[in-house]
Amino acid sequence: MEEYPEEYRTPPVSLVSLVGCAEHQAVISRHLLAEQPPINTLALPDLSNFLLLLAQKDSSKPPQAAGILRRDWLIKHRTRIPSVVAALFSSDQVSGDPTQWLQVCSDLDNLKAVLRPRNIKLVVVVIFQSSSKDDINEDRYLALRKRAEVDTKHLLNFNPNDDTELKQSLTRLGSTFAELASTYYREEGRRIKTRIEKKSYSSIDFNIRYCFKVAVFAEFRRDWVEALRSYEDAYHAVREMIGTSTRLPPIQRLVEIRTVAEQLHFKISTLLLHGGKVKEAVIWFNQHNASYRKLVGAPEVIFLHWEWMSRQFLVFAELLETSSVSVPSISSLVSGTADEALTEWQFHPSYYYQLAAHYLKEKRLSLELTLSMSETANEIDSSAESVVPSVYVGQFVRLLEQGDAVQPLTDEEYTRFAIAEGKRYQDTFEIIALLKKSCESYGNLKPRRMGSYCGLRMAAEYFAVGDFSIAKQLFDEVASQYRQEGWVTLLWEVVGYLRECSRKSGSVKDFIEYSLEMAALPVLSGTDPQGFKECGPAGPPSLSQREIIHKEVFQLVSGKAGSASAEDIKINGDNPLHLEIDLVSPLRLVLLASVAFHEQIIKPGVSTSITLSLLSQLPLNVEIDQLEVQFNQSKCNFIIVNAQRPPLAATTEDHEGHRVESAPSLTLATNKWLRLTYDIKSDQSGRLECISVIAKMGHHFTICCRAESPASMEDLPLWKFEERVETFPTKDPALAFSGQKATHVEEPDPLVDLNISASCPALAGESFIVPVTVVSRGHDIYSGELKINIVDVRGGGLFSPRETEPSAVESHHVELLGVVGPEGEDESQLNSDEIKKIQQSFGLVSVPFLKNGDSWSCKLEIKWHRPKPVMLFVSLGYSPHSNESTAQKVNVHKSLQIEGKTAVEISHRFMLPFRREPLLLTRIKPDPESEKLPSLPSNETSLLIISARNCTEVPLQLLSMSVDNEDGDSDRSCSVQHGGEDNLGPALLVPGEEFKKVFTIIPPVDSSKVNLGTVCLRWRRNDHSGSTITETWVLTKHKLPEVELEVSPLVVSLECPPYAILGEPFTYLVKIQNQTLLLQEIKYSVADAQSFVLSGSHSDAFFVLPKSQHTLSYKVVPLASGSQQLPKVTVTSVRYSAGFQASSTASTVFVFPSKPEFKMGDAGETTRMQSIASE
Amino acid sequence: MIVCVAVVGHQNNPLYIQSFTEEDDALKLHHIVHCSLDVVDERVNNPKKSGPTLNETFLGLLYPTENYKVYGYLTNTKVKFILVTTDLDVRDADVRNFFRSFHAAYVDAVSNPFHVPGKKITSKTFANRVSTIVKSFGLSSAG
């Protein structure tokens, strides 16, 4: 757009001229310029200057038009020919002496003479020098007006002395000027328009010129509609001129027409865009483009056409870009009518920039063609020097040596001139600039593919000028886009460029990489190579081309270097080449390595199979000299050499330590897996993963290919869209789906026995001993560690404190008390650095070094606080070798479930003294709400029988049983005493047997509740083979319940002798004691018994006095011997409505047939008898 | 005259691309087809803008470039058909008809049990049928 002169690019501004009174002109021009619309001022201090200015016009108008538009016409009207001339006179001049007046008159006359033919408006301005304005009389004014032949309103006063006056004067001037200018331009426009209407022009050239002038005058008036219409008329007229005008030789004629059309089009587009009519502008541009595109012109100057086309697009792009109007929404565009359908991109400058670049490329192409055809390239330059643009738009003439004379050109001369001009421009950089603009513009909109295309073209230009680094960078971006979407033919072109770039910049690695990629691209023979011409340096994509590239590369890497084109590129000992192919590399097509272990878990030292599969899409067979397979355990690395090739000298030294396998053939055929299966074993446990496969071809060329698992292998990019035979990387299809490149090596099998044993269930309360034995059977044990864990069988995990009741003293039901080392080894003798860590459910003990065959044992001491089954886990971790400290630990695990059982079950029972029954009211009227506490009569002797039963399966020894007051309550209100003496020795309690002990209780009178204390039982296993540890006695405690005390109102006691003798009478007494302060009415009855005869009343009622006793006395004679039931006595208390009948035991007596003879033993035996008898 | 037709897969990869031109500008046509995918994307991703063309397979004129006009068609499976023509005044109806028969040919080609979906169409029958359709393009309007 910058190539257009300024007057074309900006809307025209009215021009007025000020003549005379130079000191005031600045003020006036400043004011006029600030008007809306602005008015340009041509300020001339003197009249003579003005006359000179206008006189420049050559009056001799050529009768025959020599061109369409004069180049300087527009600028003339914008800068030289004013629409209004203001003659400024000072008031002194007007009102002064006659000489001054005469001067004014003559000036006016001169002015009028010049202005009249041009129809320029005249304004006379009188400037007052002083504030007094009435020093000019009316006659002078009239005379002045007459002389100037102006209207009254065009004779203005200008008073610069006062601010308000000045402002008023300026406003007045401004409005008058604007009005007159508008009138001038309208009249001028109309004058020319009538010429058009009357068709009073000699040729079509004039028609165009008149239309143009009308449009320009309309623009001066800011009548955009009129201007647009006239421009369009002119444009159509120009279109008609094609083929009809014969004024100029054909080439130059076309050039002129195109130039004029371009200018008119530019004006139209500007006006349309200025008016916000983007759609119309685009449609107009399309029409413009369509009507001139085919107008190619003479073949030798065809480049002018392309240049012109390019400029159209460029200018329109710039116009679009600079126009402030936003692109209308697409919906209104797409819904346009079918023939005028516009698309999104046509509203975007980038589209036009791109096409401008395209046409400029065409131009360059045709210019190069023209230049190559013209033999006399050098001679052109000399003759083209004197050619200059003519006065007409789009014409050129030869400037003759003498003066200003010009001479029209012939077409040949013009062609030479044009070619010379064309050669001067650096089209390439212009194209790059255009493409860059387009690319950036597209980049903002994110159409990646258009951007890529622009980038590609741009890169091709850079490539053409030899700027390979920039070109390579751009090509790389584009290539990644094409790779991603699998456009192979496009990729071929780009990679072809890249290959040449790297060849020219001498980058061996890149060259090989790009060449290999190209050779492996899925370009098949089916593609028609004839259709591709502009394919860049790589040539058309075809299978044969791929083969050529393939051969070239492998000649290069094998060091033969036959190709002359690669003189800079060498691969030898100094420049070895190493390529890396990872999972995203485009070179995966070239070499794909899939590695599958046949087993997912292997044992150490046991060999398994590994299948190595290689695939290449290169068009020809590839011979690999050597393959190196690398693992994460470098000991497993191995090398496969090609048996058909001599071993590579360079590699022999680094074979050391690695396995070398030999394969009969290492030839990779196109799209065919090369499968190699080898054994592999690892001694190191853990993950074994194949990292990479390195293929060596020739002495200095290696490709390192990342290994892939067949199970998770992605499809080959690009090739996945092709119809090809797809085979599995392994022979076994299952392995192809599940095979992994990594396997897990197990730990070595432990050669150590770990034994734990527990012969019987554990008993709650005792320290249970679990022996643990470690016996080495083939491994030495270094830095062994024994871990002990006690876990709840029910899966409750470790015994955490939260499981236990808060009241429990012990936080764990089962507790690991300690670990006792082997016999003879005291804990204190353990070295301080050996680990020993015991927690309640976890223990860690270090095992000393054991030689093969040695054994070591320890004992775990576990205490059950509650009966509970637990799982005991013991694991031994050790290393079989002394040097490998931690890396290779071997672990042995053992577990054992141990039941915990209650050893003794303690129960108790209360009893009253024999044949003495206190009445306890709570027993006859149980209160359902009260606690079920056993109640005892206070101040009476009661009996407590405590029994301990062996619930285990082993015999127990009882040491003692006692009732202790654990609370330490000194003022215990109840005394529990053993009736006899303590056991003298430990009592043996076989399983299921019960041990009983009798205590007497005499509760005190003054309390209602009494705590009886805790039973303490000391026992141990009766283990004859047991070691010393079991010697300790286990104390089992059983808390006795609290008892309620009650005062019994009545006590009934039966008295009879311990035994009776047949036929001998004895007295049977029933004593009823009233302990209350009330009179108690008692009823009783006696039932007859078979074996007795008794005397006394059978039933009666009587009263017992308070705190006294009533005795019923019967004389009884036994009639039968043996254990006989006494007559049953039933006593009933009326007050408490409680009856009493003696139990059958209490009312049984043994009757001897005759008086027995007793041999009395010692007292101890008697007591013993007594205690047993009381059971 | 139709100079190029193309089938583009839903990953924007070419499935079938055939040019029908005597000149050696097949690569340029490939570029044009590739660039036109931008317009297809734009139309598909901004369905609001396209308004009345919602739910229509025929995408209309994608863009004019140089001497060509590019038309697009989008199937339900996001497979795109692209048509490049040198005719400057093409009737929409003709293009629609073309795409309809082209779509039928495509459906027949991919219904082949030996065709793997997503791979390039290599069927010769399809190629023949396409060239017949291409040759008959515009004849109905001319005749």
Side-chain angles (χ1 to χ4, degrees), chain B residues 9-56:
Chain B
H10 69 279
Q11 295 171 347
N12 287 329
N13 54 312
L15 295 180
Y16 175 84
I17 181 158
Q18 183 62 50
S19 49
F20 302 91
T21 167
E22 299 298 311
E23 295 162 48
D24 299 332
D25 50 1
L27 189 67
K28 191 164 80 183
L29 292 169
H30 285 208
H31 275 297
I32 288 171
V33 170
H34 185 243
C35 287
S36 68
L37 295 177
D38 272 339
V39 190
V40 175
D41 275 359
E42 169 89 15
R43 298 248 170 110
V44 171
N45 294 336
N46 303 314
K48 261 187 208 164
K49 285 185 178 175
S50 43
T53 60
L54 189 69
N55 281 340
E56 209 190 344

Side-chain angles (χ1 to χ4, degrees), chain B residues 113-139:
Chain B
F114 296 104
H115 174 79
V116 182
K119 298 232 172 197
K120 284 188 176 167
I121 302 168
T122 49
S123 152
K124 277 183 185 145
T125 318
F126 178 71
N128 290 338
R129 213 167 137 187
V130 166
S131 62
T132 315
I133 299 169
V134 165
K135 273 175 202 150
S136 66
F137 176 71
L139 288 184

Side-chain angles (χ1 to χ4, degrees), chain A residues 1042-1056:
Chain A
E1042 284 191 325
V1043 288
E1044 298 226 32
L1045 294 183
E1046 248 184 286
V1047 179
S1048 55
L1050 297 169
V1051 178
V1052 178
S1053 46
L1054 306 174
E1055 280 182 18
C1056 72

Side-chain angles (χ1 to χ4, degrees), chain A residues 696-984:
Chain A
K696 205 152 201 171
M697 304 168 203
H699 286 272
H700 311 295
F701 181 54
T702 49
I703 301 178
C704 173
C705 191
R706 194 70 59 87
E708 297 183 39
S709 302
S712 56
M713 194 160 59
E714 292 198 5
D715 283 342
L716 274 182
L718 305 173
W719 281 96
K720 67 181 171 189
F721 300 123
E722 299 293 328
E723 293 271 8
R724 66 179 170 111
V725 183
E726 284 187 61
T727 48
F728 294 121
T730 54
K731 266 183 192 156
D732 179 12
L735 195 60
F737 285 116
S738 64
Q740 296 289 342
K741 63 171 176 174
T743 188
H744 184 78
V745 183
E746 284 184 332
E747 286 177 353
D749 279 341
L751 295 176
V752 166
D753 281 351
L754 177 66
N755 293 320
I756 44 177
S757 58
S759 52
C760 57
L763 302 181
E766 68 169 347
S767 292
F768 190 67
I769 302 298
V770 181
V772 177
T773 319
V774 177
V775 184
S776 165
R777 301 206 188 281
H779 269 167
D780 292 350
I781 298 180
Y782 290 93
S783 57
E785 270 180 18
L786 201 61
K787 286 182 196 160
I788 303 135
N789 254 316
I790 299 171
V791 175
D792 193 344
V793 164
R794 289 194 303 262
L798 299 177
F799 289 75
S800 61
R802 70 182 159 78
E803 281 187 10
T804 62
E805 300 108 77
S807 62
V809 181
E810 64 278 353
S811 56
H812 282 63
H813 293 178
V814 183
E815 195 178 350
L816 179 66
L817 292 180
V819 180
V820 183
E823 285 160 58
E825 186 184 335
D826 201 2
E827 280 183 31
S828 58
Q829 289 173 345
L830 289 169
N831 292 335
S832 58
D833 58 350
E834 286 182 22
I835 315 156
K836 181 163 182 185
K837 205 168 157 188
I838 306 295
Q839 285 173 357
Q840 277 163 325
S841 61
F842 174 76
L844 186 65
V845 181
S846 65
V847 178
F849 162 67
L850 289 181
K851 266 200 289 193
N852 189 359
D854 284 0
S855 75
W856 179 85
S857 69
C858 67
K859 285 172 178 164
L860 309 180
E861 203 177 330
I862 304 170
K863 186 166 186 179
W864 269 257
H865 295 291
R866 301 278 167 97
K868 200 158 199 176
V870 294
M871 189 63 92
L872 175 70
F873 289 99
V874 177
S875 60
L876 172 70
Y878 69 97
S879 55
H881 308 289
S882 60
N883 48 354
E884 287 169 288
S885 55
T886 51
Q888 279 293 93
K889 278 259 174 185
V890 185
N891 288 298
V892 198
H893 306 278
K894 271 282 160 64
S895 64
L896 179 70
Q897 182 172 348
I898 306 174
E899 298 282 336
K901 284 194 171 167
T902 315
V904 282
E905 205 169 65
I906 296 172
S907 58
H908 67 275
R909 190 148 60 99
F910 293 104
M911 289 185 85
L912 292 170
F914 196 54
R915 291 177 180 162
R916 184 178 170 85
E917 294 286 335
L919 172 63
L920 295 177
L921 292 176
T922 49
R923 291 219 182 138
I924 50 170
K925 283 184 203 158
D927 187 0
E929 291 175 9
S930 71
E931 301 168 53
K932 292 276 183 171
L933 280 181
S935 49
L936 289 181
S938 59
N939 213 14
E940 290 280 333
T941 306
S942 297
L943 298 178
L944 172 65
I945 300 160
I946 297 176
S947 57
R949 201 167 67 86
N950 182 356
C951 338
T952 65
E953 287 148 15
V954 290
L956 300 176
Q957 278 183 328
L958 293 190
L959 180 65
S960 66
M961 179 189 272
S962 60
V963 176
D964 294 342
N965 186 7
E966 284 253 314
D967 307 338
D969 196 358
S970 58
D971 45 69
R972 202 179 68 162
S973 50
C974 175
S975 72
V976 180
Q977 287 165 355
H978 180 39
E981 289 170 28
D982 270 346
N983 296 2
L984 292 177

Side-chain angles (χ1 to χ4, degrees), chain A residues 293 331 343-345 351 358 449-450 456 482 485-487 489 493 530-531 533-534 720-722 726, chain B residues 11-14 24-27 30-31 34-35 38-39 41 43 49 61-62 64 66-67 118-120:
Chain A
R293 184 178 17 213
S331 61
T343 59
E344 300 83 321
W345 300 127
Y351 170 72
H358 167 75
R449 300 178 190 91
M450 300 260 195
L456 172 64
Y482 291 155
E485 294 189 338
W487 285 75
T489 45
E493 181 194 7
Q530 312 305 324
K533 196 177 79 178
E534 296 177 1
K720 67 181 171 189
F721 300 123
E722 299 293 328
E726 284 187 61
Chain B
Q11 295 171 347
N12 287 329
N13 54 312
D24 299 332
D25 50 1
L27 189 67
H30 285 208
H31 275 297
H34 185 243
C35 287
D38 272 339
V39 190
D41 275 359
R43 298 248 170 110
K49 285 185 178 175
L61 177 66
L62 296 182
E66 298 162 28
N67 301 316
K119 298 232 172 197
K120 284 188 176 167

Side-chain angles (χ1 to χ4, degrees), chain A residues 676-695:
Chain A
L676 303 161
T677 303
Y678 289 99
D679 286 343
I680 187 167
K681 67 178 176 184
S682 166
D683 291 327
Q684 197 180 346
S685 66
R687 188 178 167 84
L688 177 64
E689 183 180 358
C690 182
I691 307 258
S692 55
V693 177
I694 300 173

